[in-house]
Amino acid sequence: MAIVDFPTLKAALVRDGRLMALDVGSKTVGIATSDVLRSLATPLTTLKRSKLAADLAALAELAKKYEVKALAVGLPLNMDGTEGPRCQSVRQFVTNIANHGAPALAGLPVVFQDERMSTAAVTRGMIDDYDMSRAKRAERIDAAAAAWILESALARLR
C-alpha cells in the first residue's frame, strides 16, 4: 500500500473500478463505495470496531467483494487545517492496514481526504431533508459521512 496524492492516484487509475471510503472513528468505521465508473458514492455499512485483526479482515472482505481499486480515508483536520490527535489515530489505522491487512486491502493505494464538517453536513441533511430521528441518524451517520468523504474525493479525481 502506498499513500498517494490525488494526481498520482488519478494517473494510476487507468481502468474503471470502485473506490472505497473510510470514516475512521474510535468506535466505528463508516464505509462507502463508488460505482465502477467512479461517479456516485453510496453509503455501504458501519463497522463496529473490535479487535484490529477482525476489523481489517472485515474491510479486506469488502474490498475484495466490491473489487476496490483504492481507498479514500477521511482525515479529521482541525478547523485551521492542522493535524491533531484524531489525525494521528487515523494515520495509525492506515499504517495498520498496510502492515497487518490482507493483500486485498493492504495493497491498495490510499489518499487522504479532508473530512472537516462531514458529519455535521450529513447530520444537517438527514434532519432537514429527511426529518430523520436521532436514533435513525445514529445508525446511518458514519456510512453517510464516508459517502460524503468519497464524493469529495471523486470530485477531486475528475
Side-chain angles (χ1 to χ4, degrees), residues 9 12-21 31-44 61-72 104-105 108-111 150 153-154 157:
L9 181 61
L13 293 174
V14 293
R15 297 189 346 247
D16 292 338
R18 296 179 198 274
L19 267 61
M20 185 164 74
I31 305 165
T33 58
S34 72
D35 62 325
V36 175
L37 298 176
R38 294 189 293 271
S39 58
L40 296 172
T42 304
L44 187 60
E61 184 179 315
L62 290 170
K64 184 176 179 182
K65 177 180 178 180
Y66 289 96
E67 300 176 355
V68 172
K69 303 296 183 201
L71 297 175
L105 183 66
L108 296 173
V110 174
V111 292
L150 186 53
L154 293 173
L157 285 172

